[in-house]
């Protein structure tokens, strides 16, 4: 048969005999007849030719759809329907394929064909609604979304379809609640006049020559309006229209034999269709109104006083706490058979309540909630929950100034830290607590551990925090030279983040440390302490660097001001 196998008609294959030369027979002889044709028996045909079934074609088509090769998938679905005509599931998959290719007419035909077979077929109703929506027939789409939801209320996609169809209709015609009709006088005369005017308008329209109609249809949209509708795709359309002016390119063809001009025109046509659809779905006036409402919301937020914002946040936190407590009572009443992860959920809710209480400043209550979360995690051996609870308890202790308890809690969490980044901030927080307790040496050690973890993770922000912590610890240890070096490293990190506030704070700290270093040198001179020439040079160099950085920041601030 050779390496390449041809797909032969199913009738020939079912007959059990394949003719190499274009004919089939029923004989089992392998002898070559006088006409030069060779007949192969049935077993060889079964071995060499693949059986093409409806299921295999459907599977192949579905795979091609997932890869985005809708044109190839269409061929598979066409072949599948030849084997099993009128299969409603195949019709729907082909309808979806047509819709992806922009062929709404054939997509609608397939959807309707599936409903003729079974008028209660939910997928058929949904596909017809989706196709009508894409065609811009939002009212009819809404009808079929409602029919589908009546049949299958469990399918959420019908409700989503109803929502988007109703939104599109409101965008097109406006919200009915905003329109107030008044009938003060008799309207019969007005309605008759309107009827006569519409008849005259129809007659004039019919008498218009065809070329005038076509000219009106091909009238270009306002570029500004088109840009608003197409968004980022407007640049693509402009590029395609520019290509049309290149005559040499338009006369050429691709390797597959397709004309470039046809491809360009089909692309422009598709973009025009999408533009018209989006214009109908959400007209420009609806977009303008939406932006106006958003601006009003932003203006209202800006006008709010900080005290109002704080009250609003506090109220939200209270709502979160109340809802979490209600849910906690419900879950506690349920059995573990009803809720398999009951203990995990209880711990999560305690943590949520504790965070809300912390945000409202209820420190004691927050500490109790987080300790309950920790107890729940320990009883059920939930490692992640235990790590979370220890972290939160440490934060509460640090906030109320109990730094030793915070250290003890966070040190218990160290073995549970999973990533280098988590270790970086954990070591930093512990080091910061030791610094608050005036244990500068231990603070320096934890700062260096935090810096090492941040270097492993490659996180510049935590490298900055850790370097500043080390420098501050060295200032307390009166190791001014090392502190200046670390502050300068931190300044470079602050420029990478970038953080202007951090840069200004580090420059101010550098200035103070440099002055302390010079004072230490002068004090040593008075007491006869010998300092190296390098120390003197280093102190003057650090002052110069600090001054230059300060001037650079001031210049940048002036440039940014209008």
């Amino acid at each position: 048969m050779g390496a390449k196998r041809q797909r032969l008609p199913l009738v020939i294959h079912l007959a059990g005999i394949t003719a190499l030369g274009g004919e089939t027979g029923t004989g089992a002889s392998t002898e070559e007849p006088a006409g030069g044709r060779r007949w192969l028996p049935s077993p060889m045909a079964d071995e060499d030719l693949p059986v093409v079934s409806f299921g295999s074609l459907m599977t192949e088509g579905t795979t091609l759809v997932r890869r985005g090769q809708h044109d190839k998938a269409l061929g598979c679905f066409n072949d599948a329907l030849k084997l099993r005509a009128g299969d409603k599931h195949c019709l729907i998959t082909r309808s979806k394929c047509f819709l992806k290719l922009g062929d709404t007419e054939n997509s609608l035909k397939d959807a309707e064909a599936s409903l003729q077979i079974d008028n209660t077929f939910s997928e058929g109703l949904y596909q017809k609604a989706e196709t009508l929506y894409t065609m811009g027939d939002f009212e009819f789409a809404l009808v079929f979304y409602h029919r589908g939801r009546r049949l299958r209320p469990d399918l959420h996609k019908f409700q989503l379809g109803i929502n988007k169809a109703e939104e599109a209709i409101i965008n097109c015609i406006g919200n009915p609640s905003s329109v107030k009709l008044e009938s003060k006088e008799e309207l019969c005369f007005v309605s008759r006049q309107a009827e006569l005017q519409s008849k005259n308008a129809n007659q004039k329209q019919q008498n218009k020559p065809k070329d005038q109609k076509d000219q009106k249809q091909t009238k270009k949209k306002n570029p500004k309006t088109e840009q608003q509708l197409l968004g980022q795709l407007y640049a693509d359309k402009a590029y395609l229209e520019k290509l049309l002016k290149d005559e040499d390119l338009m006369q050429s063809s691709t390797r597959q034999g397709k004309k470039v001009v046809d491809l360009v025109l089909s692309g422009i046509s598709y973009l025009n269709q999408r533009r018209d659809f989006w214009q109908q779905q959400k007209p420009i006036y609806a977009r303008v109104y939406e932006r106006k409402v958003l601006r009003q919301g932003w203006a209202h937020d800006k006008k709010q006083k900080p005290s109002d914002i704080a009250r609003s946040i506090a109220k939200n936190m209270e709502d979160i706490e109340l809802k979490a407590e209600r849910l906690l009572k419900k879950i506690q009443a349920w059995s573990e058979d009803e809720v398999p992860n009951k203990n995990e959920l209880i711990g999560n809710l305690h943590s949520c309540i504790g965070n809300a209480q912390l945000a409202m400043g209820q420190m004691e209550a927050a500490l109790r909630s987080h300790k309950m979360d920790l107890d729940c995690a320990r009883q059920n051996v939930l490692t992640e929950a235990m790590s979370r609870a220890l972290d939160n308890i440490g934060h509460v202790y640090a906030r109320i100034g109990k730094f030793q308890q915070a250290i003890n809690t966070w040190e218990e969490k160290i073995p549970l830290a999973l990533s280098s980044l988590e270790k970086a901030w954990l070591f930093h927080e512990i080091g910061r607590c030791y610094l608050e307790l005036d244990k500068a040496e231990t603070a320096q050690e934890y700062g260096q551990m935090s810096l090492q973890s941040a270097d492993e993770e490659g996180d510049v922000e935590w490298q900055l925090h850790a370097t500043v912590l080390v420098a501050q610890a060295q200032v307390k240890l009166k190791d001014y030279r090392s502190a200046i070096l670390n502050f300068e490293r931190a300044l470079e990190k602050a420029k990478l983040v970038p953080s202007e506030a951090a840069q200004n704070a580090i420059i101010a700290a550098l200035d103070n440390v440099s002055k302390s270093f010079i004072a230490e040198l002068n004090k040593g001179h008075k007491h006869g302490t010998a300092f190296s020439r390098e120390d003197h040079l280093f102190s003057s160099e650090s002052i110069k660097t600090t001054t230059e950085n300060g001037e650079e920041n001031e210049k940048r601030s002036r440039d940014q001001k209008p």
Side-chain angles (χ1 to χ4, degrees):
M1 289 290 291
K4 293 183 180 178
R5 297 174 183 172
Q6 296 179 350
R7 182 182 287 177
L8 300 177
L10 187 65
V11 178
I12 297 173
H13 182 70
L14 289 174
I17 297 169
T18 307
L20 295 181
E23 296 181 14
T24 60
T26 54
S29 175
T30 57
E31 293 178 7
E32 189 171 339
R37 295 184 178 88
R38 184 180 174 191
W39 303 99
L40 295 179
S42 173
M44 265 187 107
D46 289 340
E47 286 175 12
D48 288 353
L49 290 174
V51 178
V52 181
S53 65
F54 175 81
S56 62
L57 286 168
M58 285 293 290
T59 305
E60 187 182 350
T62 308
T63 306
L64 289 168
V65 166
R66 284 174 187 161
R67 292 176 186 167
Q69 298 174 349
H70 302 289
D71 49 349
K72 290 181 181 178
L74 202 58
C76 291
F77 297 137
N78 289 336
D79 290 342
L81 283 167
K82 286 175 187 176
L83 297 178
R84 194 183 292 178
D87 184 86
K88 61 182 182 181
H89 296 285
C90 188
L91 283 167
I92 287 303
T93 49
R94 190 172 72 170
S95 174
K96 289 176 183 176
C97 211
F98 276 128
L99 195 60
K100 286 287 183 183
L101 292 167
D103 190 351
T104 50
E105 190 178 343
N106 281 319
S107 176
L108 187 61
K109 282 179 183 176
D110 278 353
E112 286 175 340
S114 72
L115 289 171
Q116 284 175 0
I117 297 160
D118 180 6
N119 60 1
T120 60
F121 184 39
S122 61
E123 288 299 318
L125 288 167
Y126 182 75
Q127 186 57 27
K128 185 172 181 179
E130 284 287 289
T131 307
L132 288 167
Y133 182 87
T134 307
M135 293 169 77
D137 293 336
F138 305 125
E139 294 88 351
F140 285 111
L142 184 61
V143 169
F144 285 96
Y145 283 131
H146 273 294
R147 284 185 190 175
R149 192 183 66 169
R150 236 177 276 124
L151 284 169
R152 292 292 303 275
D154 56 310
L155 293 177
H156 189 54
K157 61 183 178 181
F158 284 112
Q159 185 58 53
L160 291 175
I162 289 167
N163 294 345
K164 71 178 182 182
E166 285 178 348
E167 186 183 353
I169 291 165
I170 288 168
N171 285 334
C172 289
I173 63 172
N175 194 336
S177 61
S178 63
V179 180
K180 292 181 181 178
L181 296 175
E182 295 179 2
S183 57
K184 293 180 180 178
E185 297 178 6
E186 182 63 39
L187 298 176
C188 294
F189 174 75
V190 178
S191 63
R192 284 195 212 100
Q193 288 292 105
E195 192 177 347
L196 287 170
Q197 284 176 5
S198 65
K199 281 181 181 177
N200 292 333
N202 287 336
Q203 285 175 0
K204 284 179 184 178
Q205 189 70 21
Q206 286 172 4
N207 295 331
K208 271 188 184 180
K210 285 186 180 180
D211 57 346
Q212 262 189 343
K213 283 184 184 179
D214 294 340
Q215 192 176 357
K216 193 173 180 182
Q217 283 175 1
T218 55
K219 187 180 177 183
K220 282 191 174 181
K221 290 222 177 231
N222 183 359
K224 190 178 178 182
T225 304
E226 197 167 39
Q227 191 169 4
Q228 283 182 323
L229 291 167
L230 288 173
Q232 293 179 350
L233 293 174
Y234 180 76
D236 298 326
K237 190 187 175 192
Y239 177 72
L240 290 173
E241 286 174 344
K242 189 178 177 182
L243 285 180
L244 275 177
K245 296 174 184 177
D246 190 341
E247 293 179 4
D248 294 334
L249 179 65
M250 291 302 104
Q251 289 172 3
S252 62
S253 301
T254 63
R255 289 178 183 176
Q256 288 78 21
K258 293 181 181 178
K259 290 184 178 179
V260 173
V261 65
D262 293 337
L263 294 171
V264 172
L265 287 171
S266 66
I268 292 171
S269 173
Y270 174 76
L271 289 172
N272 285 337
Q273 286 173 8
R274 299 317 298 160
R275 177 200 64 199
D276 295 340
F277 171 73
W278 288 324
Q279 169 69 29
Q280 196 172 0
Q281 185 194 34
K282 189 180 278 189
I284 293 296
Y285 66 80
R287 293 162 194 256
V288 171
Y289 177 74
E290 193 176 85
R291 283 198 293 271
K292 186 181 175 183
V293 170
L294 280 172
R295 280 196 214 102
Q296 286 174 352
W298 294 334
H300 177 69
D301 290 342
K302 285 179 182 177
K303 285 178 185 176
Q304 277 190 312
K305 295 177 182 178
S307 57
D308 295 337
I309 294 167
R311 276 197 291 272
S312 174
I313 292 168
K315 190 177 182 304
N316 289 334
M317 289 299 171
E318 284 175 12
D319 292 342
I320 290 167
E321 185 187 2
L322 287 169
K323 286 175 183 176
E325 283 176 350
R326 283 195 208 114
L327 185 58
L328 182 62
K329 287 176 183 176
K330 281 185 182 179
I331 292 171
Q332 284 172 339
W334 293 335
S335 65
E336 289 188 8
D337 294 331
E338 291 173 313
V339 186
N341 59 337
K342 178 182 174 180
N343 295 317
E344 190 178 346
L345 288 172
I346 288 170
N348 282 332
L349 286 168
H350 281 307
S351 178
C352 181
I353 293 164
N355 288 332
Q357 290 165 338
L358 182 64
M360 291 187 291
Q362 300 171 8
M363 300 300 172
E364 293 300 324
L367 196 59
R368 281 196 301 273
S369 295
H370 289 307
K371 281 183 175 178
M372 287 168 79
D373 180 22
L374 181 61
D375 292 338
C376 188
R378 280 176 174 160
Q379 285 168 13
N380 298 282
V381 198
L382 299 169
T383 312
E384 287 184 18
M386 204 184 301
S387 178
R388 176 192 65 212
L390 289 167
D391 176 24
N392 289 328
I393 291 166
H395 276 298
V396 177
Y397 277 134
R399 285 277 295 272
I400 60 179
K402 294 183 178 180
F403 298 112
Q404 190 57 54
Q405 286 95 321
I407 289 166
N408 296 339
T409 306
W410 277 329
E411 283 181 342
E412 190 181 345
K413 176 185 162 67
I414 291 171
L416 302 174
L418 299 173
S419 65
S420 299
L421 186 62
E422 191 177 0
K423 287 176 183 175
W425 68 255
L426 184 57
F427 290 143
H428 176 272
E429 295 300 304
I430 295 169
R432 180 66 58 190
C433 286
Y434 274 118
L435 196 64
E436 292 290 336
L437 293 171
D438 287 329
K439 295 180 179 179
E441 284 184 15
T442 315
Q444 184 181 354
E445 287 172 12
Y446 271 103
Q448 286 165 348
M449 288 161 69
S450 174
L451 182 59
Q452 186 183 347
S453 297
D455 287 340
E456 286 173 11
E457 188 68 28
D459 191 286
V460 180
E461 193 172 345
W462 280 105
Q463 287 172 355
L464 166 63
H465 296 321
T467 310
V468 168
L469 175 61
V470 171
Q472 288 174 332
Q474 287 166 342
V475 169
K476 287 211 170 189
L477 291 168
K478 295 187 178 180
D479 185 1
Y480 297 122
R481 183 171 181 175
S482 299
I484 289 167
L485 285 170
N486 278 305
F487 273 128
E488 285 176 350
R489 289 190 193 109
L491 186 60
E492 293 304 314
K493 300 291 181 189
K495 288 175 183 176
L496 291 172
V497 169
S499 171
E500 193 175 335
Q503 288 177 52
N504 292 333
I506 292 166
I507 288 165
L510 260 171
D511 188 34
N512 291 331
V513 176
S514 299
K515 287 174 183 175
S516 299
F517 190 32
I518 291 164
E520 188 75 17
L521 289 174
N522 292 334
K523 190 179 177 183
H525 279 300
K526 285 178 184 178
H527 291 85
T529 307
F531 288 95
S532 66
R533 185 169 175 272
E534 287 179 2
D535 287 335
H536 286 283
L537 290 171
F538 180 75
S539 62
S540 58
E541 185 64 32
S542 66
I543 291 168
K544 184 182 174 185
T545 306
T546 307
T547 309
E548 286 174 356
N549 283 317
E551 288 172 356
E552 187 185 336
N553 271 11
E554 283 178 14
K555 187 181 176 183
R556 195 186 298 115
S557 300
R558 282 197 301 272
D559 292 341
Q560 286 176 355
K561 285 180 182 179

